[in-house]
């Protein structure tokens, strides 16, 4: 048995190695054929590799927390149709290099749904990078200062799905927005972007400062894009008010 385990280690068949004894006992009890036994081992190895790949992709995605689409409470967000989100959870928009914009007030579920779609992408073996707009701006500035901008842009360009969260929550320096324009240009019709923002398009000049650059960014984003409007009340604020109200009653 140890000799078999050593060979499985040499061949890097960790999934089979982990489950070999259990599957062997199952095969003996059920008089499994050699072919069925071998197939069960292969199934276990493939499952192990899928799980490992998913864990690697989730780690690289850099999600601030894990939110799934199943956890989203659509009853508290009637302005978003579950069927619409479900259609995008199939991830055809990534294959078609489409963009998604979640636009509306803070606390209405934009970040939750963007992370949920990102998790679905990781499940399907897609590479994802999640970043706030402010964090992306800082990383771009650092990359420029360290003369590794080309390398950083290559990484951004290669991910299947880029999620930029909270665009408009923090005003960015003009130099930083010029660098961010490169991100939108590099991914135009080459890779999908999800953007969450609390600003209407007419207010995006507050972020990018220059009207012409703002127009160019919006043009690239909304071409081949689905825009979801989150125009309801903040459920995070409602939770806070309800919690405070209940505490006062105690």
């Amino acid at each position: 048995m140890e000799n078999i385990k050593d060979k499985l280690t040499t061949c890097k068949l960790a999934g089979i190695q982990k489950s070999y004894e259990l599957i062997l006992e199952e095969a003996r009890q059920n008089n499994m054929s050699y072919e069925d036994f071998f197939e069960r081992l292969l199934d276990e190895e493939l499952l192990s590799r899928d799980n490992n790949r998913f864990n690697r992709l989730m780690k690289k995605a850099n999600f601030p927390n894990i939110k799934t689409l199943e956890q989203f409470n659509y009853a508290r967000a009637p302005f978003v149709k579950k069927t619409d989100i479900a259609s995008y959870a199939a991830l055809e928009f990534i294959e078609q290099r489409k963009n998604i914009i979640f636009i509306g007030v803070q606390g209405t579920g934009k970040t939750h749904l963007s992370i949920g779609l990102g998790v679905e992408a990781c499940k399907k073996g897609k590479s994802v990078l999640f970043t706030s707009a402010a964090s992306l701006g800082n990383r771009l500035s650092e990359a420029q200062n360290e003369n590794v901008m080309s390398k950083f842009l290559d990484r951004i360009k290669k991910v299947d799905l880029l999620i930029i969260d909270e665009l408009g929550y923090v005003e960015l320096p003009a130099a930083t927005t010029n660098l961010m324009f490169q991100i939108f240009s590099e991914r135009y019709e080459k890779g999908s972007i999800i953007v969450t923002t609390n600003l209407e398009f007419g207010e995006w000049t507050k972020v990018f400062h220059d009207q012409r650059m703002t127009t160019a960014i919006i043009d690239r984003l909304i071409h081949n894009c689905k825009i979801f409007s989150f125009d309801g009340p903040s459920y995070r604020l409602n939770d806070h008010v309800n919690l405070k109200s209940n505490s006062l009653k105690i």
Side-chain angles (χ1 to χ4, degrees), residues 84 88 98-102 221-222 224-228:
D84 287 343
Y88 278 83
K98 290 184 177 180
N99 300 322
I100 296 176
I101 299 177
F102 293 139
L221 273 176
I222 66 175
N224 207 18
C225 173
K226 172 65 176 180
I227 300 172
F228 290 89

Side-chain angles (χ1 to χ4, degrees), residues 228-244:
F228 290 89
S229 178
F230 289 66
D231 56 1
S234 167
Y235 61 71
R236 283 208 299 266
L237 178 61
N238 288 338
D239 283 346
H240 177 72
V241 171
N242 291 335
L243 181 63
K244 186 175 181 180

Side-chain angles (χ1 to χ4, degrees), residues 63-114:
F63 296 121
N65 46 55
I66 305 304
K67 301 284 188 180
T68 67
L69 296 180
E70 291 77 15
Q71 293 171 332
F72 191 76
N73 190 342
Y74 289 93
R76 300 168 68 186
F79 40 83
V80 179
K81 292 183 180 179
K82 185 175 182 179
T83 52
D84 287 343
I85 298 298
S87 67
Y88 278 83
L91 305 182
E92 289 183 4
F93 79 96
I94 295 179
E95 301 296 337
Q96 298 166 355
R97 296 174 175 81
K98 290 184 177 180
N99 300 322
I100 296 176
I101 299 177
F102 293 139
I103 185 168
V105 298
Q106 188 174 0
T108 48
K110 302 186 300 297
T111 298
H112 184 143
L113 289 176
S114 68

Side-chain angles (χ1 to χ4, degrees), residues 114 129-134 136 162-167 180 183-184 187 193-197 221:
S114 68
L129 179 61
F130 180 100
T131 178
S132 68
L136 178 59
L162 174 64
I163 303 174
I164 303 176
D165 192 39
E166 298 183 335
L167 182 69
M180 195 173 289
I183 299 292
F184 296 105
R187 292 188 65 82
I193 302 176
I194 295 178
V195 172
T196 75
T197 179
L221 273 176

Side-chain angles (χ1 to χ4, degrees), residues 17-50:
Q17 183 182 30
K18 182 179 179 180
S19 305
Y20 180 77
E21 292 183 43
L22 183 64
I23 296 175
L24 179 61
E25 183 60 29
E26 179 187 338
R28 286 170 174 166
Q29 290 180 0
N30 298 316
N31 295 317
M32 198 178 292
S33 68
Y34 292 130
E35 184 177 284
D36 288 343
F37 174 56
F38 185 56
E39 186 174 8
R40 281 283 287 110
L41 292 174
L42 291 178
D43 286 343
E44 199 63 34
E45 180 62 30
L46 291 172
L47 179 61
S48 175
R49 294 188 180 193
D50 283 344

